[in-house]
Amino acid sequence: MADTTLIAENDILARFPEGVSQDERKGYQGYIVAADRLVEFATALRDEFGYDYLSSVTGVDYLPEGKMEVVYHAYKSTGGGALVFKVQVPREDAVVPSLVGVYKGADFQEREAWDLLGIRFEGHPNLKRILMWEGFAGHPLRKDWKEAYFEEEKKPFDSRWPGGDVYRAEDKNPFGKNVVYPEKFDPEKWTPVGEEGFYGGLRGFDAGDGDEDLKTEQVVVNLGPQHPSTHGVFRMVVSLEGETVVRLEPVMGYLHRNHEKIGERNTYLMNIPFTDRLDYLASMSNNWGYVQAVEKLLGDKAKVPERAEYLRVIMAEFTRIVNHVFAIGTLLNDLGAFFTPMLYALEERELILDIFEAVAGSRMMCNYFRFGGVARDLPPGVYEKMRDLVFERLPRKIDELDRYLTENEIVRARCEGVGVLTPEEAIAYSAAGPVLRASGVPYDVRRADPYGIYDRFDFDVAVRYHGDVYDRYLVRLDEIRQSIRILQQALDDLPEGEIISGKPKYSIRVPAGEAYGRVEGPKGELGFYIVSDGSANPWRYHVRAPSFINLTALGKMCEGDKVADAIIILGSIDIVLGETDR
Amino acid sequence: MYGKGILKGLGVTLKHFIDTYVDDIRMGKSRYGTEKGIAYRSSKDARGIFTVQYPEEKLPTPEEFRFIPFLVYDEGEDGEREIRCTSCGICAKVCPPQCIWIHRSKDPETGRPVPEPAEFFIDVDVCMNCGLCAEFCPFDAIIMDHDYELAVYDRHANNIYDKEKLLKPAEYYKDIRPRNYALQEAARAEKAAKKSAAKARRGKA
Amino acid sequence: MSEELNAKGYEIPPEMRNMVAVTTLDKLYNWGRRYSAWPMMFGLACCAIEMIATAASRFDLSRFGMEIMRPSPRQADVMLVSGTVTKKMVPQIVRLYNQMPEPKYVIAMGACASGGGPFKEGYNVVSGIDKFLPVDVYIPGCPPTPQALLYGLMKLQEMMEKQSIKTVRWYQKEDLPAIPVPILGPDLIDPRDFPEFQVKLAQAADQAQVEE
């Protein structure tokens, strides 16, 4: 935190003369840290250099070099650029010390890297698979791992043209399904691992020492994955004492659709429509995050024209409104106000989706951004529609929403003081977006590390200080208002001109290197980490999904609250499973 | 005071309820089943009932709306279908889930490839409606359709669309995307004029 | 209302219209069923959001008698598989389906549920829910718009209309077997594959050899 004088970043090499070196590969940045110095390095980074916010942890499989690399992106919670550091270990025996002790936010991300890449994090308190199930054969993101419907290493597949090979992939699989088993696998000799094995350790939490006579029996209750208020296929296993949550463990992966594996096979352009399906309530923001990362690699070749910059901001802010009204509607649903507030909230969403449909062609899967611009200009009549909404209808309707919800005594009674996250905890758990800002940390990527043309607009970062469910609701309401403010400015200033630099190309080659693009999505910091080897397909494609990482703090927030509150705490984090599980 | 919030909430619902009838009386018959009525219900002034009563009323599809792609053919002078597609394969290359397959035609005598697809398949169960094929087609031969009423009882028999099922006349294209059609026609005419001018110049030389 | 219910060939005197209908038992049975098909409140992925939009103010599912989404499978008639079915989720889906009472219907909403969709090649994706459950209506689209979903639901109503009480499977003498729940092993294992497992594995090995 900002109480002590911090050491400047330039002194890192001086502070660690051994075990830390500059990453000197072309197109790469940051530092390479020896595995045995990692914990010491990270602690110093947090305490001495002020990089207290660990944003992203991921692994890269450098198969040709036989190396496995873990990449960390850390930020200062007061703003500024990233500090990237990496650890390289041999591929076959990939063991890296865990950073959970330093940054709690590394918890789920390390588990994901273990699950998908097979990197073992030594010292991790709970190193289990997170997206796949326990017992699954192999670590799928390793470059030498192939799935059942594997066709070719890279898209476009040669078989599609001009030979044209028509078949459904299942016709070629002996099981007629998307399955592949290890060699010599015999189901009769094999014993299922079972729930116990998959999610072992969920039972028998000790509530601490106490009087044996007074101890009540703890009950383990399973919520989901098919549950009306888990916002999709999300599962929580709660250990209850009476009605009070003793411990809560989120279980996810029920919508893990292998976004990253498919993304590494796609060409750069093909990935844009796939990003739509990450956080399917906010496809425009996802587009932007991804496009931004690739544009960083492309450099000056992809300079975005002025009009496109404005259109990007307009679309991203509309998306934020769409997402937040939906989040507020579902939160009220979770509170038991079944569907009525949702109906009113969705009216505004529908009107904005009409605009998306007219401009981008689809209500939800917009696929609107392109490298160096946007796909289409506004069709006639849409600009006027936008102005009608932004200047007249939305402010009026948001006020109406505010009027009948904010002071409602049931909303206040259920939400105030529930699911509290302190600012220190929020930063430690790498919480992002409204969750972080409701805890009193005024961190918004649009201000802290501006991208696009956000530095031209006049808006406030919405902050609240109690860190409870009610404040998260209020932050969302404030953000809608700020978004309307940005939209009003952007629509007034929207210049004429080109919407994309150069001629749109379907096959682009990206210079070798790495890039991390991040935007302030409606759910929080949405980051895309891309490693290019200079070909038409990314070598590594990773998504720093805010709704996944925000869940790290869920267990902490729910402890001590009632089980009914766990539902609304989850609702207040506002997760979308497409992004959580990817 | 407890209960105030509930009353306030009920008040909002009551207002919606009354607004519906106020508008019903004000607009009369034009409120439902007419273009004007639907446009009003999707405008900034919409209040009261918001429902578009599909299938009696349908929301107007904007021009850019995209669902499943189709192939365009022009009507020749003798009523023959002139397929615009030259089987260049860009759509198959650019398709993110790789759901397009093309067989190229061959001249039956010489065996050389002819710029026309012999077969063209789209697996609708894989297609993600992204519209990249239409965006990058250099011949305006593949266009995103507006027809969304495609539900079927059996996917194995119906959901791999072949050339016959995909082909639709240019008139239809003009119908659903008048603005794009006009723009593209103008561009094509300009191109053709340039070509003939260049030819004439070469002829002179 | 009674006009619709009336069987063809029975003239109702004008003064009795809208009060009396002469009909067959099948028609009455199906008429009652088709306007009270309660979907299960159960969303998987992107399509679920369009399903919510369909149920909400603009498209209003209740016009079809379907607004009562039941969170419990025991009270539901229609399972709307709305989104990508993953291997990790499919045991739960099959279990939910087994818990639904007959008559029950399954709608595969969107490309993913029908045939895997854009994620078909993925290692954790089931390429079509029809690999496990009998699907009645497939709705293409990614995602289908609310109107496309309503069209699919109307197709389902049409299908209900054509069923006869004499031939429907739930009034037959023999018991309807439950669908065996898939097991999560090294990969997804379908218990129905067990008898031929060795043969198929050998086949797979052969094919791999041929391809090499």
mmCIF file of all heavy atoms in Angstrom, chain A residues 155 157 160-166 270 277 357 360-361 365-367 370 393 409, chain B residues 1 3 5 13 44 46 64-66 87 93 96 98 101-103 121 128 130 135:
data_model
loop_
_atom_site.group_PDB
_atom_site.id
_atom_site.type_symbol
_atom_site.label_atom_id
_atom_site.label_comp_id
_atom_site.label_asym_id
_atom_site.label_seq_id
_atom_site.Cartn_x
_atom_site.Cartn_y
_atom_site.Cartn_z
ATOM 1 N N LYS A 155 -6.114 -24.098 -38.396
ATOM 2 C CA LYS A 155 -7.144 -23.729 -39.354
ATOM 3 C C LYS A 155 -6.554 -22.720 -40.333
ATOM 4 O O LYS A 155 -5.647 -22.003 -39.971
ATOM 5 C CB LYS A 155 -8.339 -23.110 -38.617
ATOM 6 C CG LYS A 155 -9.164 -24.128 -37.868
ATOM 7 C CD LYS A 155 -10.308 -23.428 -37.174
ATOM 8 C CE LYS A 155 -11.077 -24.410 -36.302
ATOM 9 N NZ LYS A 155 -12.128 -23.783 -35.529
ATOM 10 N N PHE A 157 -8.607 -25.744 -42.324
ATOM 11 C CA PHE A 157 -8.293 -27.130 -42.627
ATOM 12 C C PHE A 157 -8.220 -27.328 -44.135
ATOM 13 O O PHE A 157 -9.081 -26.844 -44.874
ATOM 14 C CB PHE A 157 -9.356 -28.062 -42.051
ATOM 15 C CG PHE A 157 -9.469 -27.993 -40.561
ATOM 16 C CD1 PHE A 157 -10.690 -28.166 -39.944
ATOM 17 C CD2 PHE A 157 -8.355 -27.769 -39.767
ATOM 18 C CE1 PHE A 157 -10.802 -28.112 -38.562
ATOM 19 C CE2 PHE A 157 -8.455 -27.705 -38.387
ATOM 20 C CZ PHE A 157 -9.688 -27.879 -37.775
ATOM 21 N N ARG A 160 -11.302 -28.907 -46.328
ATOM 22 C CA ARG A 160 -12.563 -28.266 -46.671
ATOM 23 C C ARG A 160 -12.623 -27.845 -48.135
ATOM 24 O O ARG A 160 -13.677 -27.714 -48.716
ATOM 25 C CB ARG A 160 -12.778 -27.035 -45.796
ATOM 26 C CG ARG A 160 -12.877 -27.323 -44.327
ATOM 27 C CD ARG A 160 -14.114 -28.149 -44.040
ATOM 28 N NE ARG A 160 -14.348 -28.266 -42.609
ATOM 29 C CZ ARG A 160 -13.840 -29.215 -41.843
ATOM 30 N NH1 ARG A 160 -13.080 -30.159 -42.367
ATOM 31 N NH2 ARG A 160 -14.099 -29.246 -40.547
ATOM 32 N N TRP A 161 -11.487 -27.611 -48.719
ATOM 33 C CA TRP A 161 -11.487 -27.045 -50.055
ATOM 34 C C TRP A 161 -10.171 -27.364 -50.721
ATOM 35 O O TRP A 161 -9.161 -27.330 -50.032
ATOM 36 C CB TRP A 161 -11.650 -25.527 -49.945
ATOM 37 C CG TRP A 161 -11.601 -24.852 -51.254
ATOM 38 C CD1 TRP A 161 -12.636 -24.563 -52.066
ATOM 39 C CD2 TRP A 161 -10.427 -24.418 -51.938
ATOM 40 N NE1 TRP A 161 -12.205 -23.960 -53.199
ATOM 41 C CE2 TRP A 161 -10.843 -23.859 -53.151
ATOM 42 C CE3 TRP A 161 -9.063 -24.461 -51.661
ATOM 43 C CZ2 TRP A 161 -9.955 -23.350 -54.089
ATOM 44 C CZ3 TRP A 161 -8.190 -23.948 -52.586
ATOM 45 C CH2 TRP A 161 -8.630 -23.391 -53.786
ATOM 46 N N PRO A 162 -10.055 -27.645 -51.995
ATOM 47 C CA PRO A 162 -11.178 -27.773 -52.911
ATOM 48 C C PRO A 162 -11.727 -29.198 -52.964
ATOM 49 O O PRO A 162 -12.725 -29.428 -53.634
ATOM 50 C CB PRO A 162 -10.546 -27.406 -54.248
ATOM 51 C CG PRO A 162 -9.122 -27.815 -54.115
ATOM 52 C CD PRO A 162 -8.768 -27.745 -52.671
ATOM 53 N N GLY A 163 -11.091 -30.107 -52.252
ATOM 54 C CA GLY A 163 -11.591 -31.481 -52.270
ATOM 55 C C GLY A 163 -12.986 -31.564 -51.691
ATOM 56 O O GLY A 163 -13.881 -32.192 -52.234
ATOM 57 N N GLY A 164 -13.172 -30.872 -50.552
ATOM 58 C CA GLY A 164 -14.486 -30.879 -49.927
ATOM 59 C C GLY A 164 -14.817 -32.250 -49.398
ATOM 60 O O GLY A 164 -15.193 -33.160 -50.123
ATOM 61 N N ASP A 165 -14.630 -32.442 -48.128
ATOM 62 C CA ASP A 165 -14.795 -33.766 -47.551
ATOM 63 C C ASP A 165 -15.969 -33.680 -46.576
ATOM 64 O O ASP A 165 -15.818 -33.217 -45.466
ATOM 65 C CB ASP A 165 -13.497 -34.140 -46.825
ATOM 66 C CG ASP A 165 -13.559 -35.540 -46.309
ATOM 67 O OD1 ASP A 165 -14.527 -36.241 -46.647
ATOM 68 O OD2 ASP A 165 -12.653 -35.940 -45.558
ATOM 69 N N VAL A 166 -17.142 -34.073 -47.037
ATOM 70 C CA VAL A 166 -18.317 -33.861 -46.209
ATOM 71 C C VAL A 166 -18.541 -35.022 -45.267
ATOM 72 O O VAL A 166 -18.738 -36.151 -45.696
ATOM 73 C CB VAL A 166 -19.577 -33.674 -47.060
ATOM 74 C CG1 VAL A 166 -20.762 -33.384 -46.167
ATOM 75 C CG2 VAL A 166 -19.365 -32.573 -48.030
ATOM 76 N N MET A 270 -10.516 -15.446 -36.847
ATOM 77 C CA MET A 270 -11.545 -16.398 -36.429
ATOM 78 C C MET A 270 -11.860 -16.288 -34.942
ATOM 79 O O MET A 270 -12.943 -16.666 -34.500
ATOM 80 C CB MET A 270 -11.086 -17.827 -36.699
ATOM 81 C CG MET A 270 -11.109 -18.240 -38.137
ATOM 82 S SD MET A 270 -10.370 -19.854 -38.254
ATOM 83 C CE MET A 270 -10.341 -20.072 -40.024
ATOM 84 N N ARG A 277 -18.625 -15.287 -27.430
ATOM 85 C CA ARG A 277 -19.282 -16.328 -26.641
ATOM 86 C C ARG A 277 -18.623 -16.535 -25.287
ATOM 87 O O ARG A 277 -18.952 -17.485 -24.576
ATOM 88 C CB ARG A 277 -19.305 -17.626 -27.436
ATOM 89 C CG ARG A 277 -20.368 -17.558 -28.526
ATOM 90 C CD ARG A 277 -20.034 -18.363 -29.743
ATOM 91 N NE ARG A 277 -21.054 -18.241 -30.765
ATOM 92 C CZ ARG A 277 -21.098 -17.275 -31.675
ATOM 93 N NH1 ARG A 277 -20.187 -16.327 -31.681
ATOM 94 N NH2 ARG A 277 -22.056 -17.240 -32.573
ATOM 95 N N GLU A 357 -28.306 -5.118 -33.113
ATOM 96 C CA GLU A 357 -28.758 -5.937 -34.230
ATOM 97 C C GLU A 357 -28.700 -5.136 -35.531
ATOM 98 O O GLU A 357 -28.312 -5.657 -36.571
ATOM 99 C CB GLU A 357 -30.189 -6.422 -33.962
ATOM 100 C CG GLU A 357 -30.594 -7.615 -34.786
ATOM 101 C CD GLU A 357 -31.996 -8.081 -34.437
ATOM 102 O OE1 GLU A 357 -32.764 -7.304 -33.848
ATOM 103 O OE2 GLU A 357 -32.323 -9.222 -34.777
ATOM 104 N N ALA A 360 -24.525 -4.407 -35.916
ATOM 105 C CA ALA A 360 -23.589 -5.528 -36.018
ATOM 106 C C ALA A 360 -24.240 -6.770 -36.610
ATOM 107 O O ALA A 360 -23.540 -7.664 -37.057
ATOM 108 C CB ALA A 360 -23.033 -5.851 -34.637
ATOM 109 N N GLY A 361 -25.554 -6.848 -36.603
ATOM 110 C CA GLY A 361 -26.208 -7.980 -37.258
ATOM 111 C C GLY A 361 -26.748 -9.017 -36.311
ATOM 112 O O GLY A 361 -27.459 -9.910 -36.725
ATOM 113 N N MET A 365 -24.312 -11.907 -30.265
ATOM 114 C CA MET A 365 -22.985 -12.271 -30.754
ATOM 115 C C MET A 365 -22.554 -11.262 -31.814
ATOM 116 O O MET A 365 -22.697 -11.494 -32.995
ATOM 117 C CB MET A 365 -23.011 -13.683 -31.338
ATOM 118 C CG MET A 365 -23.551 -14.702 -30.369
ATOM 119 S SD MET A 365 -22.676 -14.599 -28.803
ATOM 120 C CE MET A 365 -23.624 -15.708 -27.804
ATOM 121 N N CYS A 366 -22.064 -10.111 -31.325
ATOM 122 C CA CYS A 366 -21.951 -8.968 -32.222
ATOM 123 C C CYS A 366 -20.852 -9.101 -33.274
ATOM 124 O O CYS A 366 -21.027 -8.699 -34.404
ATOM 125 C CB CYS A 366 -21.727 -7.712 -31.401
ATOM 126 S SG CYS A 366 -23.121 -7.398 -30.324
ATOM 127 N N ASN A 367 -19.721 -9.654 -32.910
ATOM 128 C CA ASN A 367 -18.627 -9.836 -33.881
ATOM 129 C C ASN A 367 -18.390 -8.534 -34.635
ATOM 130 O O ASN A 367 -18.371 -8.502 -35.861
ATOM 131 C CB ASN A 367 -19.006 -10.975 -34.840
ATOM 132 C CG ASN A 367 -17.903 -11.290 -35.816
ATOM 133 O OD1 ASN A 367 -16.755 -10.910 -35.609
ATOM 134 N ND2 ASN A 367 -18.240 -11.981 -36.885
ATOM 135 N N ARG A 370 -12.842 -5.209 -35.543
ATOM 136 C CA ARG A 370 -11.827 -5.767 -36.430
ATOM 137 C C ARG A 370 -10.483 -5.156 -36.054
ATOM 138 O O ARG A 370 -10.442 -4.117 -35.404
ATOM 139 C CB ARG A 370 -12.137 -5.447 -37.897
ATOM 140 C CG ARG A 370 -13.398 -6.078 -38.422
ATOM 141 C CD ARG A 370 -13.223 -7.577 -38.651
ATOM 142 N NE ARG A 370 -14.466 -8.164 -39.118
ATOM 143 C CZ ARG A 370 -15.445 -8.589 -38.321
ATOM 144 N NH1 ARG A 370 -15.306 -8.494 -37.013
ATOM 145 N NH2 ARG A 370 -16.535 -9.112 -38.808
ATOM 146 N N ARG A 393 -34.533 8.291 -23.055
ATOM 147 C CA ARG A 393 -35.148 7.150 -22.397
ATOM 148 C C ARG A 393 -34.312 6.576 -21.252
ATOM 149 O O ARG A 393 -34.816 6.388 -20.148
ATOM 150 C CB ARG A 393 -35.433 6.041 -23.403
ATOM 151 C CG ARG A 393 -36.111 4.878 -22.714
ATOM 152 C CD ARG A 393 -36.748 3.907 -23.631
ATOM 153 N NE ARG A 393 -37.192 2.768 -22.870
ATOM 154 C CZ ARG A 393 -38.459 2.401 -22.731
ATOM 155 N NH1 ARG A 393 -39.397 3.083 -23.313
ATOM 156 N NH2 ARG A 393 -38.775 1.356 -22.018
ATOM 157 N N GLU A 409 -37.180 -1.487 1.354
ATOM 158 C CA GLU A 409 -36.629 -1.965 2.635
ATOM 159 C C GLU A 409 -36.218 -3.436 2.589
ATOM 160 O O GLU A 409 -35.315 -3.832 3.310
ATOM 161 C CB GLU A 409 -37.586 -1.694 3.800
ATOM 162 C CG GLU A 409 -38.996 -2.226 3.692
ATOM 163 C CD GLU A 409 -39.910 -1.293 2.920
ATOM 164 O OE1 GLU A 409 -40.483 -0.351 3.478
ATOM 165 O OE2 GLU A 409 -40.046 -1.538 1.720
ATOM 166 N N MET B 1 -40.688 3.112 7.038
ATOM 167 C CA MET B 1 -41.892 2.323 7.283
ATOM 168 C C MET B 1 -41.852 1.049 6.445
ATOM 169 O O MET B 1 -41.567 1.090 5.263
ATOM 170 C CB MET B 1 -43.129 3.154 6.907
ATOM 171 C CG MET B 1 -44.417 2.512 7.307
ATOM 172 S SD MET B 1 -45.821 3.354 6.539
ATOM 173 C CE MET B 1 -45.919 2.532 4.984
ATOM 174 N N GLY B 3 -43.189 -1.917 4.275
ATOM 175 C CA GLY B 3 -44.306 -2.057 3.359
ATOM 176 C C GLY B 3 -44.365 -0.956 2.318
ATOM 177 O O GLY B 3 -45.022 -1.096 1.296
ATOM 178 N N GLY B 5 -41.947 0.067 0.411
ATOM 179 C CA GLY B 5 -41.242 -0.387 -0.788
ATOM 180 C C GLY B 5 -42.117 -1.250 -1.664
ATOM 181 O O GLY B 5 -42.129 -1.132 -2.885
ATOM 182 N N THR B 13 -45.921 -1.272 -11.268
ATOM 183 C CA THR B 13 -46.640 -2.244 -12.084
ATOM 184 C C THR B 13 -48.003 -1.704 -12.491
ATOM 185 O O THR B 13 -48.427 -1.848 -13.636
ATOM 186 C CB THR B 13 -46.802 -3.555 -11.290
ATOM 187 O OG1 THR B 13 -45.524 -3.952 -10.836
ATOM 188 C CG2 THR B 13 -47.375 -4.647 -12.154
ATOM 189 N N LYS B 44 -38.357 4.998 -28.083
ATOM 190 C CA LYS B 44 -38.037 5.562 -26.772
ATOM 191 C C LYS B 44 -39.288 5.898 -25.976
ATOM 192 O O LYS B 44 -39.248 5.992 -24.764
ATOM 193 C CB LYS B 44 -37.188 6.820 -26.940
ATOM 194 C CG LYS B 44 -37.928 7.972 -27.621
ATOM 195 C CD LYS B 44 -37.065 9.196 -27.625
ATOM 196 C CE LYS B 44 -37.522 10.259 -28.590
ATOM 197 N NZ LYS B 44 -38.799 10.882 -28.417
ATOM 198 N N ALA B 46 -41.951 4.078 -25.815
ATOM 199 C CA ALA B 46 -42.733 2.893 -25.466
ATOM 200 C C ALA B 46 -43.033 2.882 -23.979
ATOM 201 O O ALA B 46 -42.176 3.127 -23.140
ATOM 202 C CB ALA B 46 -41.951 1.647 -25.838
ATOM 203 N N GLU B 64 -28.887 -5.529 -41.535
ATOM 204 C CA GLU B 64 -27.643 -6.237 -41.267
ATOM 205 C C GLU B 64 -27.845 -7.566 -40.534
ATOM 206 O O GLU B 64 -26.892 -8.296 -40.309
ATOM 207 C CB GLU B 64 -26.708 -5.357 -40.422
ATOM 208 C CG GLU B 64 -26.217 -4.111 -41.117
ATOM 209 C CD GLU B 64 -25.359 -4.411 -42.327
ATOM 210 O OE1 GLU B 64 -24.877 -5.548 -42.448
ATOM 211 O OE2 GLU B 64 -25.194 -3.504 -43.157
ATOM 212 N N PHE B 65 -29.046 -7.846 -40.135
ATOM 213 C CA PHE B 65 -29.300 -9.060 -39.364
ATOM 214 C C PHE B 65 -28.749 -10.286 -40.085
ATOM 215 O O PHE B 65 -28.858 -10.415 -41.299
ATOM 216 C CB PHE B 65 -30.809 -9.219 -39.150
ATOM 217 C CG PHE B 65 -31.189 -10.473 -38.424
ATOM 218 C CD1 PHE B 65 -30.876 -10.624 -37.090
ATOM 219 C CD2 PHE B 65 -31.841 -11.507 -39.074
ATOM 220 C CE1 PHE B 65 -31.216 -11.777 -36.415
ATOM 221 C CE2 PHE B 65 -32.184 -12.673 -38.395
ATOM 222 C CZ PHE B 65 -31.873 -12.799 -37.068
ATOM 223 N N ARG B 66 -28.136 -11.178 -39.306
ATOM 224 C CA ARG B 66 -27.561 -12.369 -39.954
ATOM 225 C C ARG B 66 -28.001 -13.629 -39.248
ATOM 226 O O ARG B 66 -28.046 -13.682 -38.022
ATOM 227 C CB ARG B 66 -26.046 -12.276 -40.014
ATOM 228 C CG ARG B 66 -25.391 -11.913 -38.709
ATOM 229 C CD ARG B 66 -23.921 -11.618 -38.912
ATOM 230 N NE ARG B 66 -23.408 -10.696 -37.927
ATOM 231 C CZ ARG B 66 -23.027 -11.047 -36.708
ATOM 232 N NH1 ARG B 66 -23.080 -12.278 -36.324
ATOM 233 N NH2 ARG B 66 -22.572 -10.146 -35.854
ATOM 234 N N SER B 87 -16.340 -20.731 -56.489
ATOM 235 C CA SER B 87 -15.645 -21.737 -55.683
ATOM 236 C C SER B 87 -14.188 -21.354 -55.416
ATOM 237 O O SER B 87 -13.294 -22.170 -55.506
ATOM 238 C CB SER B 87 -15.752 -23.136 -56.290
ATOM 239 O OG SER B 87 -15.014 -23.245 -57.463
ATOM 240 N N LYS B 93 -12.230 -20.899 -46.089
ATOM 241 C CA LYS B 93 -10.984 -20.637 -45.358
ATOM 242 C C LYS B 93 -11.233 -19.756 -44.146
ATOM 243 O O LYS B 93 -10.570 -19.876 -43.137
ATOM 244 C CB LYS B 93 -9.990 -19.927 -46.278
ATOM 245 C CG LYS B 93 -9.264 -20.858 -47.216
ATOM 246 C CD LYS B 93 -8.292 -20.036 -48.041
ATOM 247 C CE LYS B 93 -7.990 -20.744 -49.338
ATOM 248 N NZ LYS B 93 -7.526 -19.804 -50.356
ATOM 249 N N PRO B 96 -14.860 -19.597 -39.069
ATOM 250 C CA PRO B 96 -14.225 -19.969 -37.793
ATOM 251 C C PRO B 96 -14.463 -21.419 -37.357
ATOM 252 O O PRO B 96 -13.524 -22.092 -36.969
ATOM 253 C CB PRO B 96 -14.809 -18.969 -36.798
ATOM 254 C CG PRO B 96 -15.270 -17.829 -37.608
ATOM 255 C CD PRO B 96 -15.700 -18.402 -38.930
ATOM 256 N N GLN B 98 -15.291 -23.814 -39.320
ATOM 257 C CA GLN B 98 -15.023 -24.647 -40.501
ATOM 258 C C GLN B 98 -16.232 -25.507 -40.877
ATOM 259 O O GLN B 98 -16.152 -26.731 -40.970
ATOM 260 C CB GLN B 98 -13.794 -25.535 -40.251
ATOM 261 C CG GLN B 98 -12.535 -24.740 -39.980
ATOM 262 C CD GLN B 98 -11.887 -24.220 -41.248
ATOM 263 O OE1 GLN B 98 -11.345 -24.951 -42.036
ATOM 264 N NE2 GLN B 98 -11.974 -22.909 -41.451
ATOM 265 N N TRP B 101 -18.047 -26.675 -46.789
ATOM 266 C CA TRP B 101 -17.283 -27.576 -47.654
ATOM 267 C C TRP B 101 -17.615 -27.257 -49.102
ATOM 268 O O TRP B 101 -18.794 -27.095 -49.429
ATOM 269 C CB TRP B 101 -17.693 -29.029 -47.447
ATOM 270 C CG TRP B 101 -17.256 -29.664 -46.197
ATOM 271 C CD1 TRP B 101 -16.071 -30.305 -45.993
ATOM 272 C CD2 TRP B 101 -18.007 -29.810 -44.989
ATOM 273 N NE1 TRP B 101 -16.036 -30.812 -44.730
ATOM 274 C CE2 TRP B 101 -17.210 -30.523 -44.084
ATOM 275 C CE3 TRP B 101 -19.272 -29.394 -44.581
ATOM 276 C CZ2 TRP B 101 -17.642 -30.844 -42.813
ATOM 277 C CZ3 TRP B 101 -19.696 -29.706 -43.318
ATOM 278 C CH2 TRP B 101 -18.884 -30.425 -42.439
ATOM 279 N N ILE B 102 -16.625 -27.206 -49.955
ATOM 280 C CA ILE B 102 -16.894 -26.923 -51.369
ATOM 281 C C ILE B 102 -16.241 -27.995 -52.240
ATOM 282 O O ILE B 102 -15.083 -28.369 -52.023
ATOM 283 C CB ILE B 102 -16.344 -25.545 -51.780
ATOM 284 C CG1 ILE B 102 -16.876 -24.462 -50.842
ATOM 285 C CG2 ILE B 102 -16.738 -25.229 -53.203
ATOM 286 C CD1 ILE B 102 -16.225 -23.129 -51.052
ATOM 287 N N HIS B 103 -16.999 -28.499 -53.218
ATOM 288 C CA HIS B 103 -16.420 -29.314 -54.287
ATOM 289 C C HIS B 103 -16.328 -28.442 -55.503
ATOM 290 O O HIS B 103 -17.310 -27.825 -55.891
ATOM 291 C CB HIS B 103 -17.330 -30.504 -54.617
ATOM 292 C CG HIS B 103 -17.293 -31.576 -53.604
ATOM 293 N ND1 HIS B 103 -16.481 -32.663 -53.725
ATOM 294 C CD2 HIS B 103 -17.974 -31.725 -52.444
ATOM 295 C CE1 HIS B 103 -16.670 -33.454 -52.672
ATOM 296 N NE2 HIS B 103 -17.558 -32.903 -51.883
ATOM 297 N N PHE B 121 -21.663 -27.225 -49.254
ATOM 298 C CA PHE B 121 -22.365 -27.673 -48.052
ATOM 299 C C PHE B 121 -22.101 -26.717 -46.886
ATOM 300 O O PHE B 121 -20.990 -26.225 -46.731
ATOM 301 C CB PHE B 121 -21.898 -29.064 -47.623
ATOM 302 C CG PHE B 121 -22.232 -30.138 -48.603
ATOM 303 C CD1 PHE B 121 -21.289 -30.577 -49.517
ATOM 304 C CD2 PHE B 121 -23.482 -30.713 -48.611
ATOM 305 C CE1 PHE B 121 -21.596 -31.572 -50.418
ATOM 306 C CE2 PHE B 121 -23.790 -31.711 -49.506
ATOM 307 C CZ PHE B 121 -22.850 -32.146 -50.420
ATOM 308 N N MET B 128 -21.832 -20.706 -36.769
ATOM 309 C CA MET B 128 -22.004 -19.806 -35.633
ATOM 310 C C MET B 128 -22.563 -18.448 -36.043
ATOM 311 O O MET B 128 -22.510 -17.491 -35.271
ATOM 312 C CB MET B 128 -20.711 -19.675 -34.836
ATOM 313 C CG MET B 128 -19.587 -18.959 -35.527
ATOM 314 S SD MET B 128 -17.962 -19.256 -34.786
ATOM 315 C CE MET B 128 -18.122 -18.565 -33.174
ATOM 316 N N CYS B 130 -21.615 -16.017 -37.755
ATOM 317 C CA CYS B 130 -20.763 -14.855 -37.518
ATOM 318 C C CYS B 130 -20.740 -13.913 -38.696
ATOM 319 O O CYS B 130 -20.430 -12.746 -38.552
ATOM 320 C CB CYS B 130 -19.345 -15.301 -37.174
ATOM 321 S SG CYS B 130 -18.522 -16.124 -38.530
ATOM 322 N N GLU B 135 -18.813 -11.441 -45.332
ATOM 323 C CA GLU B 135 -18.026 -10.217 -45.263
ATOM 324 C C GLU B 135 -16.836 -10.268 -46.214
ATOM 325 O O GLU B 135 -16.448 -9.256 -46.790
ATOM 326 C CB GLU B 135 -17.541 -10.052 -43.817
ATOM 327 C CG GLU B 135 -17.163 -8.648 -43.456
ATOM 328 C CD GLU B 135 -16.846 -8.548 -41.973
ATOM 329 O OE1 GLU B 135 -17.631 -9.065 -41.160
ATOM 330 O OE2 GLU B 135 -15.817 -7.949 -41.637
#
